[in-house]
Amino acid sequence: MSMEGAVKRSINLGIKGLAFTDHFDVDAPGDNNRFNFDPHEQQSRIDELRLRFPSSEILKGIELGLQAGSLDKADTLAGSHNFDTIIASIHFVDGEDPYHGDFYSRNTPKEAYKKYILNMYECVSNFGNFDILGHFDYIVRYSPYKEKSLSMKEYGDELDSVLRVLASGGKALEINTNTYRERGGRTPVLDKSVLIRFRELGGEFISMGSDAHDLERIGENFESFTAFVKHCGFGYITHFKGRKNVCLKIE
């Protein structure tokens, strides 16, 4: 997906702006480093696009993959570039990529999901240089299990710790609409109790991301999930510009 194409697509959809949050995992296992982008190149390209499309707000972002043993390196990377928004994401569990290998087959659903949440807690509680926690339930997206939700009923103790860190630090929780698509005949489910609990703990900010990867999916299902967020007690959808929160009221 070209950056220019994404800007033109967003304009055609009536979207007033978009953030390029390209992917970078520090010390990624295996060959996952091949997915990392060049921040200098990205930001130079965005500067050009801002001149060409002055009516569209184009933000510089990064999806920064965190691992407990690489937080100092991640902090250095985050501080080395002028990002508008930093999404912290967890893609690996104890240095292993669940997407490959036998991670899922070696663990029951509860074991796999709890390990993921504990890794997430360790990272966000020791790393503060981010604005949004991305796809908190990423672990269910590609899992082969019938159980396709990180629910408060099953994982409330573990999730509570993560949500408390986010709420106390003024961080946003992302609703990543890419997660809730059918894969292999099963569709992950976003548990509304997670959002309600986040609100109870003092969480204020919900961010929306389509994690698009292709032009057709930019802004995918934002309308329905915005209504979902409102139903959970939030009055705003939040994005970040210059690392400052920008809250847009849900009508």
Side-chain angles (χ1 to χ4, degrees), residues 129-144:
N129 196 4
F130 71 98
D131 309 305
I132 302 167
L133 176 63
H135 51 50
F136 76 95
D137 49 0
Y138 174 80
I139 190 66
V140 309
R141 185 187 290 182
Y142 302 109
S143 80

Side-chain angles (χ1 to χ4, degrees), residues 19-217:
F20 288 102
T21 52
D22 295 291
H23 171 276
F24 199 111
D25 268 293
V26 178
D27 292 338
D31 67 346
N32 284 285
N33 283 317
R34 65 191 174 92
F35 296 112
N36 291 346
F37 76 107
D38 182 339
H40 291 291
E41 181 181 349
Q42 180 225 49
Q43 298 202 347
S44 294
R45 188 77 180 98
I46 290 175
D47 286 337
E48 296 173 2
L49 290 171
R50 285 174 171 174
L51 293 174
R52 292 183 57 195
F53 301 96
S55 63
S56 183
E57 185 171 62
I58 307 170
L59 302 177
K60 301 174 180 179
I62 183 174
E63 182 190 356
L64 183 59
L66 300 182
Q67 296 187 82
S70 303
L71 298 181
D72 287 343
K73 292 180 181 179
D75 190 52
T76 297
L77 175 62
S80 298
H81 305 279
N82 186 29
F83 294 113
D84 285 295
T85 182
I86 296 177
I87 299 175
S89 295
I90 311 299
H91 297 114
F92 310 120
V93 181
D94 297 330
E96 182 179 2
D97 185 353
Y99 188 77
H100 301 287
D102 60 352
F103 173 81
Y104 288 116
S105 64
R106 285 189 287 103
N107 291 278
T108 66
K110 282 188 170 59
E111 289 171 341
Y113 293 172
K114 284 186 176 183
K115 286 179 182 179
Y116 179 81
I117 300 170
L118 291 173
N119 270 255
M120 183 162 53
Y121 172 70
E122 185 175 4
C123 289
V124 300
S125 61
N126 291 291
F127 183 86
N129 196 4
F130 71 98
D131 309 305
I132 302 167
L133 176 63
H135 51 50
F136 76 95
D137 49 0
Y138 174 80
I139 190 66
V140 309
R141 185 187 290 182
Y142 302 109
S143 80
Y145 311 131
K146 292 182 180 179
E147 182 181 339
K148 298 287 282 186
S149 178
L150 289 191
S151 69
M152 288 301 295
K153 180 179 179 180
E154 294 293 335
Y155 306 99
D157 289 343
E158 293 80 14
L159 286 170
D160 226 55
S161 298
V162 174
L163 298 175
R164 286 179 186 276
V165 171
L166 300 181
S168 64
K171 309 298 185 184
L173 180 67
E174 181 197 52
I175 306 304
N176 187 301
T177 62
N178 183 29
T179 296
Y180 312 110
R181 295 195 296 137
E182 181 182 332
R183 291 178 175 85
R186 298 190 178 95
T187 304
V189 176
L190 173 59
D191 179 19
K192 67 179 182 181
S193 296
V194 175
L195 274 67
I196 292 170
R197 181 57 176 158
F198 182 48
R199 191 77 188 95
E200 290 173 349
L201 292 170
E204 297 181 71
F205 307 123
I206 297 292
S207 177
M208 198 77 66
S210 57
D211 200 358
H213 290 264
D214 59 66
L215 297 178
E216 289 70 26
R217 292 186 40 252

